[in-house]
Amino acid sequence: MKQKKSDIGLIGLAVMGENLSLNLEKNNWKVSVYNRTVPGIEEGVVERFINGRAKGKNIEGYNDIPSFIESLETPRKIMMMVRAGNPVDELMEQVFPHLSPGDILIDGGNSNYEDTNRRVLLGESKGFYFVGAGVSGGEEGALNGASIMPGGSEEAWPAVKPILQSIAAKADDGTPCCDWIGPGGSGHFVKMIHNGIEYGDMQLIAEAYWALKNFLQIDNQELSEIFFSWNEGKLRSYLIEITANILIHKDKYGGYLLDKILDAAGQKGTGKWSVINAMELGMPLGLIATAVFERSLSALKDLRKVASDQYHHIEKRAVFNKPELVLDVYSALYASKLVSYAQGFAVLQRASDTFSWNLNMASIARMWRAGCIIRSAFLNDIAAAFETTDKPVHLLLAPYFRREVKQVFHGWRRLVSGAISEGMPIPAFSSALNYFYSLTSEHLPANLIQAQRDYFGAHTFERIDEPRGKYFHEDWTGHGGDTKSGTYNV
Ligand code: 6PG
């Protein structure tokens, strides 16, 4: 009897690829897997997987592309889990000659959304479909349920929907954390902003940890208890939970491992991309930018050592009342997190308008409720805010969040001013607070910036006593010309 062909093929057996194929198989899909062979570097990867973790499972291994593709049911669905960048293009070139019209390529890596825009067009020009799917959740999520953000060729969605939704995490109400995002590279754009928000959350949590540890001089056990208690309330989230665990994790020598980890953070680039793209869109994403730059600054460990020897500013420490300080740190963390998500969603909205993606903000918030790194209780509140008929123009203006910010505002402000006067770096807490102050100020000193631009470069300005969109130039010195510079904005 002819053997049933595979429902899906997966290329790239690094940890994410292995785990996703096991997750697919667990959900009753027959899976073919392929990994390239590079003598001396990647050898026997397929055999090791098939004879190891995939043993006895409905997973077939292939070492060459033609037979791997031949093993798939048409229209073929092929998920690529390879490194973002050139490897994806190279792989596509190798796969294209063996595909049939209507076959579907899914890129599950952390690809740049502009690459995905290009690949969707390329795939479609050859008669195939291309889906750029952001996948979040790390190894654990890949195996037991990830948050999956697919976008690209919408014609492919009905065929890939049951497969991707089956391996997605399920929110508490049972909804799969995977739904169609939109055209082109929108899926990867949304994943990129997810990662940017992840950077922001991590920096905020790190600042909370640092403020508590240094102001209260408490040990990791006590710190962990605070984070565990926060995990019972509005801050309940995966990152708070793992922080509580990390704090009390001991290494094989018996000490807290966290205290022995070098304070120089790495980054693979998606936080940076978020900021670059926010800048391209002309949108403020200051908290995430701060988080990215703080990782860069942390990595300058040697320079910080030299500088700290020359400026001993962290010597003096005020004595804080513990319950009050804990509440203020909580307030700063919660309010700054609100600011960060508001900034992130505003960038998504701007991208959606600019690229005509028609993104559904409530649906994106729901997709992030489980499976992904930023999963949290609070995404339910964000989804609810976007679901109201009276959609907020900005998340901080939604009635629920307005009430929330008002409650924590004083603690947030006290913590930021206290930390700054004590010489404690809290760059993300203060970036969030400054954004909040600017956002909620009807008047800002940008009139002076406009005047300066016009003074030295005839860049023109609008007047408060004239309609918007009408531009003026002043002869500031009495000997300037009449020629104006363009009024365009980037
Ligand atoms: C996820 C993560 C993941 C990301 C890592 C590393 O959603 O599962 O965002 O995609 O690559 O967290 O990111 P950095 O090395 O840039 O911290």
Side-chain angles (χ1 to χ4, degrees), residues 110 135-138 191 194-195 198-199 202 266-271 295 372-373:
N110 262 336
V135 177
S136 176
K191 172 66 185 8
H194 162 283
N195 279 32
E198 172 185 310
Y199 273 59
M202 291 166 78
Q267 48 184 318
K268 296 215 170 69
T270 43
R295 287 200 193 184
C372 63
I373 305 295

Side-chain angles (χ1 to χ4, degrees), residues 237-308:
S237 62
Y238 171 70
L239 285 170
I240 293 280
E241 183 190 333
I242 66 167
T243 302
N245 290 331
I246 288 168
L247 278 159
I248 44 173
H249 186 90
K250 296 201 168 148
D251 69 5
K252 60 180 180 191
Y253 307 106
Y256 292 124
L257 177 58
L258 179 62
D259 300 346
K260 299 177 193 169
I261 294 179
L262 187 81
D263 53 334
Q267 48 184 318
K268 296 215 170 69
T270 43
K272 176 182 80 178
W273 292 351
S274 299
V275 178
I276 291 172
N277 283 291
M279 284 190 176
E280 291 290 354
L281 291 163
M283 289 297 284
L285 197 67
L287 192 134
I288 295 173
T290 301
V292 173
F293 286 134
E294 277 303 301
R295 287 200 193 184
S296 308
L297 185 49
S298 78
L300 302 175
K301 176 74 181 169
D302 295 340
L303 176 63
R304 287 193 288 115
K305 170 84 184 82
V306 173
S308 75

Side-chain angles (χ1 to χ4, degrees), residues 268-375:
K268 296 215 170 69
T270 43
K272 176 182 80 178
W273 292 351
S274 299
V275 178
I276 291 172
N277 283 291
M279 284 190 176
E280 291 290 354
L281 291 163
M283 289 297 284
L285 197 67
L287 192 134
I288 295 173
T290 301
V292 173
F293 286 134
E294 277 303 301
R295 287 200 193 184
S296 308
L297 185 49
S298 78
L300 302 175
K301 176 74 181 169
D302 295 340
L303 176 63
R304 287 193 288 115
K305 170 84 184 82
V306 173
S308 75
D309 288 343
Q310 294 183 23
Y311 293 93
H312 302 276
H313 63 93
I314 315 187
E315 304 285 87
K316 115 174 152 26
R317 282 272 181 262
V319 179
F320 289 90
N321 170 293
K322 186 175 164 196
E324 268 173 25
L325 196 269
V326 172
L327 202 56
D328 286 355
V329 175
Y330 166 87
S331 300
L333 180 52
Y334 183 56
S336 306
K337 192 174 157 84
L338 284 175
V339 164
S340 179
Y341 282 66
Q343 291 180 344
F345 274 97
V347 170
L348 287 179
Q349 189 58 57
R350 174 64 68 89
S352 179
D353 297 341
T354 307
F355 306 128
S356 304
W357 280 343
N358 200 18
L359 298 182
N360 181 332
M361 300 301 149
S363 163
I364 292 168
R366 278 197 301 270
M367 258 177 266
W368 290 347
R369 286 178 303 169
C372 63
I373 305 295
I374 64 168
R375 60 185 181 261

Side-chain angles (χ1 to χ4, degrees), residues 206-218 223 314 317-318 320 325 424-425:
E207 290 180 17
Y209 149 68
W210 209 233
L212 292 170
K213 179 181 164 80
N214 289 291
F215 284 150
L216 296 176
Q217 303 286 322
I218 51 178
L223 285 164
I314 315 187
R317 282 272 181 262
F320 289 90
L325 196 269
M424 154 86 63

